[in-house]
Amino acid sequence: MLLRLAYLGVSNAFAMLRLLPMTDRDKDTEILALRHQITVLERQLDRDKVRFTPSDRAFLAALVHRLPLHVLRRLRLLVRPDTVLRWHRNLVKRRHAASCRPKRPGRPRTVRSIRALVLRLRRRT
């Protein structure tokens, strides 16, 4: 009993030392990421393998991508940090592709002044 109490005290002291160099934003991000992972695990208690939905991936990627890599590697994640960064790259790529897509398919309309000039040149010949 006394040995277990000493072990818990030492392990908690080391856990607190790990938190000292972290900023409040990093701590809050880690807490949010851990809470989100818990909700994902609770949703999938009866399954063998944990599957993240696209919305779960987008949330974790948006939450964690701004952290420095050394902080990201210390986070307790269900997936590797490189996977989360890949999710973020894909999220940004899809968002950029959607915003760059033309609004109307096909060739854009010709400006009126150019159209009038072409018609005038055609009449002259």
Side-chain angles (χ1 to χ4, degrees):
M1 176 77 176
L2 189 59
L3 183 63
R4 182 177 177 162
L5 183 63
Y7 171 76
L8 286 175
V10 169
S11 64
N12 284 336
F14 282 123
M16 287 176 55
L17 286 175
R18 186 181 79 83
L19 294 175
L20 283 177
M22 293 177 72
T23 64
D24 287 341
R25 191 184 98 200
D26 295 346
K27 291 175 191 175
D28 292 341
T29 303
E30 183 174 6
I31 289 169
L32 287 174
L34 290 173
R35 284 183 181 175
H36 186 71
Q37 290 181 109
I38 288 172
T39 59
V40 169
L41 289 173
E42 286 174 346
R43 255 194 334 242
Q44 302 178 11
L45 281 176
D46 56 340
R47 296 186 186 166
D48 293 334
K49 191 173 182 180
V50 177
R51 297 278 182 188
F52 285 91
T53 63
S55 61
D56 293 329
R57 292 177 181 176
F59 180 78
L60 274 177
L63 182 67
V64 173
H65 88 280
R66 290 196 181 257
L67 291 176
L69 197 56
H70 70 279
V71 173
L72 185 60
R73 296 217 185 273
R74 286 192 314 216
L75 278 179
R76 307 290 191 250
L77 296 172
L78 295 174
V79 293
R80 292 182 306 151
D82 298 332
T83 304
V84 176
L85 293 176
R86 187 189 69 215
W87 289 346
H88 183 261
R89 281 193 305 271
N90 291 340
L91 180 69
V92 170
K93 187 182 349 177
R94 276 187 283 131
R95 183 177 179 192
H96 180 69
S99 67
C100 290
R101 192 176 316 132
K103 304 214 180 344
R104 281 190 248 158
R107 184 170 178 245
R109 295 185 61 96
T110 308
V111 181
R112 282 184 193 218
S113 61
I114 295 175
R115 185 169 182 248
L117 177 67
V118 169
L119 290 175
R120 193 169 16 129
L121 289 172
R122 184 175 152 221
R123 279 188 219 121
R124 286 186 184 174
T125 59

